[in-house]
Amino acid sequence: MVPGILRKVMPVATTIPKPNDDDDEDEYADKVGYSFAVEYSGPPLPYNIPRVVPVDVDEIPLASTLASASRLGAVPIIQPIVKSTLPSKKLSKELQEGESAGWPQLFSTADDFNNHPESSVTAGNSEIVEIPDDEDKDEPAGELQDCASPGVGESTKSHSFSCSVSSEIFSGNEDECADDEAAARHVRRPSAVTFRDPDSNDVVVDEDFDDASDAESSIPGRPTPAVRPGKKGTCYRCMKGNRFNEKEVCIVCGAKFCSGCVLRAMGSMPEGRKCVTCIGQRIDEARRKNMGKSSRMLRQLLPKMEINNIMTSEKCCHVNQLPPELVYINDQYLSEEELVLLQTSAHPPRKLKPGYYWYDKVSGFWGKEGEKPCQIISDQLNIGGHMRRDASKGDTGILINNREITKPELLMLQLLGVKCDGTNSFWVSADGSYQEEGMKNVKGKIWDKPGAKVICTLLSLPTPLDSNGSVSKERNGATILPKGLEQKLLQKLLLVGNRKSGTSTIFKQAKIIYNVPFSEDERESIKSIIQSNLYGYIGILLEGRERFEEECLAQTREHPIGESSSSDCGDIAGQIDTKTIYSIGPRLKSFSDWLLKVIITGNLETIFPASTREYGPYVEELWKDAAIQATYNRRDELPSLPRNATYFLERAADIAMVDYEPSDMDILYAEGITSSRGLSSMEFTFPKSPRDLCDHIGYQHDPSQRYQLIRAHPRTLGGNCKWLQMFEDVDMVLFCVSMTDYDKFTEDSDGVLTNNMMATKHLFETMVTHPKFEDKKFLLVLNKFDLLEAKNRACLTHSM
Ligand SMILES: Nc1nc2c(ncn2[C@@H]2O[C@H](COP(=O)(O)OP(=O)(O)OP(=O)(O)O)[C@@H](O)[C@H]2O)c(=O)[nH]1
Ligand SMILES: [Ca+2]
C-alpha cells in the first residue's frame, strides 16, 4: 500500500556527532553515520544501479494473525533478520537475549520482500503484522482532564466519508447503501409496490431479492422488489445471460434487464429508469444515490442527448423526489416547504436520505439521531422540531447549545484549548464563536484556533465550509465522490514510536521525498530552531571549556611545569597558572559568560535568533579559536552535546549568519522541528514511476491515490494510549522501533529505570490491543539499522 515510503539508505560515511544523555546512541556510533536517499542527477552510469522496487503491500506475506494480545507471549518467535554479509555472532546473541526478554518478534523474515534482487528498501526491514484483537475491551475511559493541547500547525483538507455511491447502475456490482441504520430503525415500510412483468402481466411476489440485505430492505420508502423469473443473474425479461452481463436496473422495483430488453422493458423512460409498470411509483430510496448517473449500457444504446433528457427527468420529476415525510428532524417530519428550504439552503446536508436527524439551528451542526455531528449546514433554518438535549446521545456532561456533546467533540474542544472546567454549557454560533452560558463576552472562535482543521479531521468531526465555495461545491453534490473511491483516495497513515525512535526524521524525509515543501513560515521557524540549537551547542562547548580550563589550572598548581610532562595543558611561557590551551581572550570570555548566563536562565529561545545579527560574528571567531577547537576535540567528554551537534557545529559560522537558509539535510538532522508540536500531518501522492520500471515490475502506483501521514509523539497518545481513539480512522499504523533501544534505559520521576525496548514493546502492545485498532494493519519499521550494524561491527572488532 505504501510502496517505497521508507526509502532510507544507510549507512553512509559522514561525520558523526557524539552521544549525549538525551539521545546517546552508543560509543561507536561516531564512527558511522547515516544518510538519506537523494535523487541522483549526475551523468549516466555504465553499470546497473540497484533500485527501490515499489512494493505492493498486499503482495507481502503477512505474519499469521494473532488471535489475542494476551497470547502475545506464545507467538512463535521468528529469527530476526540479520544481514548475511555480516558476521553476526554477537549480534544474534544479543537478539536472542531480546527474545528471552519476551519481545514478540512478529516481524518474520520477509524473504520474498528482502531477497528481491533489486530491493533496497531499508529502514531496517519492514514487515506488516496484522494483529486483530478478539477480546472485548472496555472503551478507554473518557478522562479528558489532563489533556495537553498540542498546537497543530499544518492544516489538512477535511474529508468526508459518506454514503457509498456506485457510479453505474448495473446488476452484479451494485453496492447498496447500507449506512441507513438510522433510517432503518425507525420508519415503517410504505405500501408495497408489486412488480408486473411487462410482457406476462403476472403479478410476482418478492421472495429472493438477490442483493438486498435485511437492512436495505427495511430502508424507508423501499417498494416491494421484483422477483426474477429466471435463474440467478439472468435478465428479468428474457431470462437469459448471467450476472456478468451488464444490466440496467429499475429504480423502483430493482428488476434488471439486459441490453437487448432494456428499451422494451422501460420504454421512453419519462421518469428515468423505471419499468413501464413502475412509472408513477416512488423510487426505491436505496437507489437514490445512483439517480441521474447514466450507465455505460445506456450510453451504448441511446444518443447522448436522449440520455441527458432521461437523466434530467429521473432527477427532477416530481414523483422521484425525496418524500418529506420520511425526513425527521428533531423528532418532527418535514413538510414539503421545509424540505425545499433545507435542500435549497446555501449549505444543504450532503446526500440527504430518509432518516432521523438532529439539527442545531444556532451553530448549524447536523447529525444522525444518536450520533456525533457529521456536517455543518446552513444555520437558522426553520425546519423540524426542537433539538433534544440527548439528540446525539452524548455522555460528557458538557452542553453546546443545550445538546450534550459526544466524546470526540469534547476531545476536540480540549485539544483546541477551550477550557471546559469552569462551565458545562456553551453557546456556539455558526461562525464558531463561543461563550459560556450566562456570560456576555465571546471567549474566542473555535475555527480560528490553530490546528482546528487537523483535529476535526482526525476526530472525524465536521468543519465549516470555506466561504470561497470550494467545499460548498462539493456539498452541493457537484463533486461528490463515491465512498469506496473517496476512501481509496485518502489513506491515513499514523506514524508513531517511542521517544527518539526516529519518527520525526521519517516524517521530514517523507516531506522531502514526496515533495511536500515546508511553507515560508515553517522554514523561518526551522531556521530559528536550528540557530537556537546551535547557540545551545556552543553553550555546551563553552561550559566544557571552563571545566577543562579549571582542571588544567588545578593540575598545573599541583604539578608545576617540568613535573608534569603528561599534561596536555600546554602552559604558555610567562603565563603560568593563568593560561592553558583552554583559555580564551577577554572579548570571547565576556561573550561566553553572557551566553552561559542566557542559557542558565532559560532565555535562549527568546534572545535568539532575534540577536543573530549581533552575535553571529562572535560565533565565527569563537569556532576558530584554538581553545574551542581543543574543547571540541574532547567532545566525548561532554555528555550533554547531542550526536547531531557535530553536523551543525562544523558549519557554525554559516548557520549563525543572518541570511542562513537551512538545507534539506539541515532540516533532517535538526532536533525539535516536528516534536515540539507533538502532532504533525502532511498529505502526499507517489510520484509517477518511470515507464520502464513499471514495465519491468508490472506495477504502477495509482497517481490519484493520496496519503495522509500523521506523526504523533507518544505523549500525544496520552498515558496508556488513552487518546489513541482519536486516530480511529487511520488505515495503517507505521510503528517505529529504534533497534539500538535494547541497551538503553529511561529513568522516570520516581527514579525507576525502564529499558527503552521494553517501553517500546509496551507501547506496541497497548496499540495493537486497543479496541479501536483491532482491525488495523501495522507496519513495523525497524529503525536506526545503521547504528545496530555499527554496534555489531564494533563488538566483532572488540572480540577479535
Ligand atoms: N544513525 C541514525 N540516527 C537516526 C536515525 N533515525 C533517526 N536518527 C536520529 O535519532 C534522533 C532521534 O530521532 P527523531 O526522528 O528526532 O526521533 P523522534 O521519534 O522524533 O523522537 P522525539 O524527539 O522524542 O520525538 C535524531 O537525532 C535523529 O537524527 C537512523 O536511522 N540512523
Ligand atoms: Ca526529535
Side-chain angles (χ1 to χ4, degrees):
M1 186 182 69
V2 202
I5 177 178
L6 304 165
R7 276 186 286 182
K8 186 177 279 196
V9 177
M10 60 186 88
V12 173
T14 49
T15 353
I16 279 308
K18 290 312 296 177
N20 73 317
D21 269 352
D22 186 36
D23 191 18
D24 59 329
E25 287 309 339
D26 70 318
E27 56 198 287
Y28 308 109
D30 49 330
K31 302 194 183 83
V32 172
Y34 64 99
S35 183
F36 305 93
V38 173
E39 203 175 320
Y40 178 72
S41 59
L45 297 172
Y47 48 87
N48 288 333
I49 12 172
R51 305 185 201 216
V52 178
V53 177
V55 179
D56 182 351
V57 172
D58 293 335
E59 300 290 334
I60 301 176
L62 298 179
S64 59
T65 297
L66 205 65
S68 139
S70 60
R71 278 170 251 149
L72 273 178
V75 175
I77 306 285
I78 295 144
Q79 281 308 307
I81 307 133
V82 181
K83 263 207 178 163
S84 53
T85 47
L86 284 173
S88 50
K89 214 170 61 195
K90 183 70 186 289
L91 177 70
S92 49
K93 183 167 158 268
E94 280 169 4
L95 283 158
Q96 276 154 18
E97 283 159 13
E99 283 169 30
S100 53
W103 171 239
Q105 286 168 4
L106 298 159
F107 33 93
S108 64
T109 41
D111 284 340
D112 305 4
F113 178 44
N114 289 307
N115 296 347
H116 193 289
E118 292 182 335
S119 164
S120 68
V121 177
T122 58
N125 296 287
S126 315
E127 174 67 316
I128 294 170
V129 188
E130 255 185 320
I131 306 175
D133 171 19
D134 60 2
E135 278 177 340
D136 269 336
K137 289 269 153 56
D138 291 329
E139 287 282 298
E143 320 147 43
L144 307 168
Q145 298 82 286
D146 55 336
C147 168
S149 45
V152 181
E154 291 100 322
S155 71
T156 51
K157 290 160 213 140
S158 66
H159 301 279
S160 47
F161 291 81
S162 31
C163 175
S164 77
V165 172
S166 70
S167 56
E168 313 239 326
I169 304 186
F170 290 142
S171 102
N173 66 354
E174 294 161 291
D175 58 335
E176 251 86 353
C177 180
D179 72 345
D180 294 47
E181 324 83 6
R185 281 198 307 267
H186 307 283
V187 186
R188 305 139 288 159
R189 281 180 73 134
S191 59
V193 177
T194 45
F195 172 70
R196 207 179 273 269
D197 185 278
D199 282 353
S200 70
N201 278 348
D202 286 348
V203 174
V204 282
V205 189
D206 174 25
E207 260 163 27
D208 67 334
F209 189 69
D210 54 342
D211 30 26
S213 70
D214 289 347
E216 284 155 356
S217 50
S218 55
I219 286 173
R222 183 151 207 174
T224 303
V227 169
R228 188 194 307 100
K231 282 205 298 257
K232 216 174 157 111
T234 56
C235 168
Y236 279 50
R237 188 170 173 277
C238 66
M239 297 190 275
K240 291 198 194 104
N242 57 46
R243 62 195 207 85
F244 298 111
N245 301 124
E246 283 179 13
K247 290 184 199 71
E248 192 64 81
V249 183
C250 169
I251 53 177
V252 175
C253 70
K256 295 159 192 157
F257 304 102
C258 68
S259 59
C261 294
V262 65
L263 296 181
R264 289 175 64 191
M266 294 189 174
S268 64
M269 301 185 231
E271 295 174 0
R273 288 161 288 185
K274 296 180 179 179
C275 328
V276 286
T277 47
C278 288
I279 292 172
Q281 309 281 0
R282 265 186 194 170
I283 70 155
D284 178 352
E285 286 302 328
R287 302 189 191 280
R288 178 167 298 284
K289 58 195 177 345
N290 294 329
M291 280 211 337
K293 293 182 199 115
S294 72
S295 65
R296 187 158 45 146
M297 193 168 102
L298 273 195
R299 285 195 296 271
Q300 280 161 0
L301 292 173
L302 294 170
K304 207 171 162 201
M305 273 280 285
E306 202 163 326
I307 292 179
N308 287 349
N309 288 340
I310 292 170
M311 291 305 138
T312 310
S313 342
E314 188 169 289
K315 269 190 303 194
C316 303
C317 74
H318 190 255
V319 65
N320 288 357
Q321 298 312 301
L322 182 65
E325 70 274 19
L326 293 182
V327 180
Y328 289 75
I329 297 178
N330 300 338
D331 299 321
Q332 250 179 42
Y333 63 79
L334 296 189
S335 66
E336 190 142 4
E337 293 74 47
E338 285 175 319
L339 183 63
V340 171
L341 187 67
L342 178 64
Q343 289 186 309
T344 54
S345 65
H347 303 302
R350 259 162 303 176
K351 296 183 258 182
L352 187 63
K353 289 173 302 208
Y356 280 63
Y357 301 92
W358 59 265
Y359 169 54
D360 173 355
K361 219 183 258 200
V362 181
S363 66
F365 278 123
W366 165 272
K368 281 187 182 169
E369 204 182 271
E371 293 178 19
K372 65 184 180 185
C374 62
Q375 204 189 330
I376 300 175
I377 64 167
S378 302
D379 59 315
Q380 305 303 341
L381 300 175
N382 272 324
I383 49 169
H386 281 292
M387 181 174 64
R388 282 201 323 261
R389 183 188 157 119
D390 66 345
S392 52
K393 295 259 184 306
D395 56 355
T396 54
I398 306 285
L399 303 180
I400 285 185
N401 303 345
N402 254 338
R403 174 183 59 91
E404 188 166 351
I405 63 174
T406 56
K407 278 204 185 97
E409 293 171 88
L410 177 58
L411 192 51
M412 167 193 75
L413 291 182
Q414 298 192 314
L415 288 170
L416 291 178
V418 175
K419 290 222 166 23
C420 301
D421 19 297
T423 178
N424 60 5
S425 185
F426 293 95
W427 286 100
V428 176
S429 51
D431 65 356
S433 47
Y434 65 97
Q435 58 193 86
E436 291 172 13
E437 194 173 70
M439 302 291 206
K440 280 241 158 67
N441 46 335
V442 170
K443 287 249 163 164
K445 276 196 182 181
I446 293 180
W447 311 122
D448 292 353
K449 294 192 179 277
K453 274 205 165 160
V454 178
I455 288 169
C456 288
T457 308
L458 290 175
L459 294 169
S460 305
L461 288 174
T463 48
L465 317 159
D466 50 354
S467 45
N468 61 32
S470 64
V471 186
S472 359
K473 202 173 121 217
E474 184 190 355
R475 309 284 146 126
N476 286 334
T479 55
I480 292 170
L481 289 166
K483 182 183 188 182
L485 198 60
E486 210 170 344
Q487 272 178 339
K488 221 188 104 227
L489 284 182
L490 187 78
Q491 291 274 353
K492 295 188 180 188
L493 313 171
L494 176 64
L495 176 62
V496 282
N498 213 6
R499 41 186 306 282
K500 298 295 166 199
S501 58
T503 52
S504 36
T505 306
I506 291 178
F507 185 83
K508 289 183 280 186
Q509 274 181 289
K511 264 179 110 72
I512 294 168
I513 293 173
Y514 300 114
N515 222 343
V516 182
F518 292 95
S519 69
E520 251 337 274
D521 282 357
E522 284 172 325
R523 286 209 168 254
E524 204 45 50
S525 91
I526 288 170
K527 175 178 168 177
S528 309
I529 292 168
I530 293 180
Q531 287 181 331
S532 316
N533 285 353
L534 176 71
Y535 282 99
Y537 305 148
I538 291 176
I540 297 168
L541 280 185
L542 289 172
E543 212 173 35
R545 185 205 66 80
E546 277 184 359
R547 204 179 81 211
F548 296 155
E549 187 182 29
E550 273 161 30
E551 283 169 9
C552 275
L553 289 174
Q555 220 172 6
T556 25
R557 273 193 295 274
E558 274 171 36
H559 315 277
I561 340 159
E563 271 182 43
S564 153
S565 52
S566 61
S567 162
D568 66 343
C569 294
D571 310 298
I572 292 153
Q575 293 188 337
I576 315 156
D577 289 353
T578 57
K579 208 152 188 226
T580 72
I581 56 160
Y582 299 108
S583 304
I584 47 176
R587 189 179 130 84
L588 287 182
K589 179 79 173 88
S590 57
F591 173 68
S592 160
D593 290 347
W594 174 83
L595 183 63
L596 288 177
K597 213 159 69 208
V598 169
I599 292 174
I600 288 165
T601 54
N603 278 337
L604 194 62
E605 271 87 30
T606 49
I607 294 190
F608 292 103
S611 329
T612 315
R613 191 175 299 279
E614 206 172 327
Y615 302 110
Y618 284 98
V619 171
E620 185 163 11
E621 193 179 330
L622 205 67
W623 180 246
K624 285 190 189 140
D625 194 278
I628 297 298
Q629 284 297 321
T631 309
Y632 182 64
N633 289 338
R634 286 175 67 183
R635 58 188 179 276
D636 290 15
E637 298 162 58
L638 304 175
S640 49
L641 196 68
R643 284 168 40 78
N644 51 354
T646 314
Y647 175 83
F648 295 101
L649 279 171
E650 291 182 349
R651 299 165 51 236
D654 292 340
I655 294 173
M657 304 272 269
V658 183
D659 58 0
Y660 160 69
E661 300 233 331
S663 68
D664 285 350
M665 210 51 157
D666 297 356
I667 294 173
L668 276 181
Y669 274 96
E671 270 290 343
I673 286 174
T674 46
S675 58
S676 63
R677 291 195 171 129
L679 197 58
S680 339
S681 154
M682 66 174 258
E683 265 187 50
F684 66 95
T685 52
F686 281 110
K688 245 177 128 75
S689 4
R691 260 295 302 271
D692 55 337
L693 182 62
C694 302
D695 291 348
H696 183 68
I697 59 162
Y699 175 77
Q700 166 77 56
H701 296 302
D702 177 357
S704 63
Q705 174 71 66
R706 287 181 303 124
Y707 296 90
Q708 183 182 17
L709 183 64
I710 303 155
R711 183 253 174 192
H713 193 274
R715 109 174 84 76
T716 316
L717 305 179
N720 271 328
C721 293
K722 63 181 171 204
W723 303 119
L724 191 60
Q725 57 183 323
M726 77 174 180
F727 300 102
E728 78 181 282
D729 66 346
V730 302
D731 298 283
M732 187 186 228
V733 179
L734 310 181
F735 191 94
C736 252
V737 182
S738 161
M739 293 211 278
T740 51
D741 263 0
Y742 65 87
D743 61 352
K744 292 199 185 63
F745 293 83
T746 307
E747 193 177 345
D748 70 8
S749 47
D750 303 330
V752 181
L753 282 179
T754 319
N755 177 282
N756 287 357
M757 191 61 98
M758 295 304 280
T760 300
K761 171 179 175 272
H762 182 251
L763 179 66
F764 184 69
E765 280 175 356
T766 315
M767 287 190 70
V768 294
T769 59
H770 192 286
K772 293 273 156 87
F773 276 64
E774 53 184 5
D775 298 328
K776 302 270 185 251
K777 289 175 176 168
F778 278 74
L779 178 73
L780 213 52
V781 181
L782 303 185
N783 210 6
K784 303 201 181 176
F785 191 67
D786 58 324
L787 295 174
L788 185 65
E789 280 183 315
K791 268 187 201 236
N792 180 45
R793 267 194 302 278
C795 287
L796 291 171
T797 343
H798 211 71
S799 60
M800 270 192 316

